[in-house]
């Protein structure tokens, strides 16, 4: 008997965040999407950060330096946190499942600032 249902956060409960984050950075700071993706998606530092091997401060300082941006980290993190879209349809389904007695869990392989 199923008692617990687990949902992923990024790309399931929330969606569009990475794509929109890249678009906003590109537009606001005149960066190419490729140079953002090189750091944010493909760099060794992002992998190390996602695995918890380096701190958020270390990664974001690296990213800002690579992007040649002289702005506070908090500005980038604000953009990161506000570019996700909430999946209202899934939220309704989750509420119904809870009402039916299922335990609900969420999981993510994303980093702390994103969640």
């Amino acid at each position: 008997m199923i008692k617990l249902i687990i949902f992923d956060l990024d790309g399931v409960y929330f969606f569009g965040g990475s794509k929109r984050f890249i678009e906003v950075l590109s537009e606001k700071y005149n960066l190419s999407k490729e140079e953002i993706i090189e750091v944010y998606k493909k760099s060794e530092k992002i992998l190390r950060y996602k695995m918890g091997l380096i701190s958020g401060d270390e990664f974001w300082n690296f990213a800002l330096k690579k992007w040649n941006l002289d702005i506070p980290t908090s500005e980038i993190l604000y953009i990161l946190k506000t570019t996700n879209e909430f999946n209202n349809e899934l939220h309704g389904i989750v509420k119904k499942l809870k009402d039916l007695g299922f335990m609900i869990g969420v999981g993510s392989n994303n980093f702390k600032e994103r969640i």
Side-chain angles (χ1 to χ4, degrees):
M1 172 183 232
I2 297 172
K3 295 181 181 184
L4 171 67
I5 301 171
I6 300 173
F7 294 90
D8 187 19
L9 286 180
D10 194 23
V12 179
Y13 217 96
F14 299 101
F15 57 93
S18 288
K19 180 180 177 191
R20 188 71 189 128
F21 175 69
I22 291 165
E23 288 171 355
V24 169
L25 284 184
S26 179
E27 292 167 13
K28 186 169 185 170
Y29 301 110
N30 199 29
L31 298 167
S32 74
K33 291 179 182 177
E34 292 75 25
E35 63 189 318
I36 297 168
I37 290 168
E38 252 337 283
V39 171
Y40 183 66
K41 295 266 190 186
K42 297 181 179 179
S43 69
E44 178 193 342
K45 291 267 191 191
I46 191 69
L47 296 175
R48 294 177 54 75
Y49 177 39
K50 283 185 172 187
M51 293 187 314
L53 300 174
I54 63 172
S55 70
D57 285 340
E58 188 175 344
F59 172 73
W60 293 110
N61 287 330
F62 161 79
L64 290 172
K65 186 175 181 178
K66 288 296 254 185
W67 294 328
N68 238 356
L69 295 177
D70 187 22
I71 59 171
T73 306
S74 59
E75 193 168 323
I76 291 289
L77 295 180
Y78 177 79
I79 294 167
L80 184 70
K81 291 176 186 177
T82 57
T83 51
N84 279 320
E85 293 181 47
F86 189 67
N87 188 336
N88 288 311
E89 183 180 355
L90 179 62
H91 186 67
I93 292 168
V94 167
K95 286 177 112 178
K96 286 179 186 174
L97 291 169
K98 258 186 105 171
D99 290 346
L100 290 171
F102 291 98
M103 290 188 295
I104 304 297
V106 294
S108 181
N109 64 340
N110 225 314
F111 42 91
K112 182 173 78 172
E113 288 88 352
R114 193 75 203 272
I115 298 170

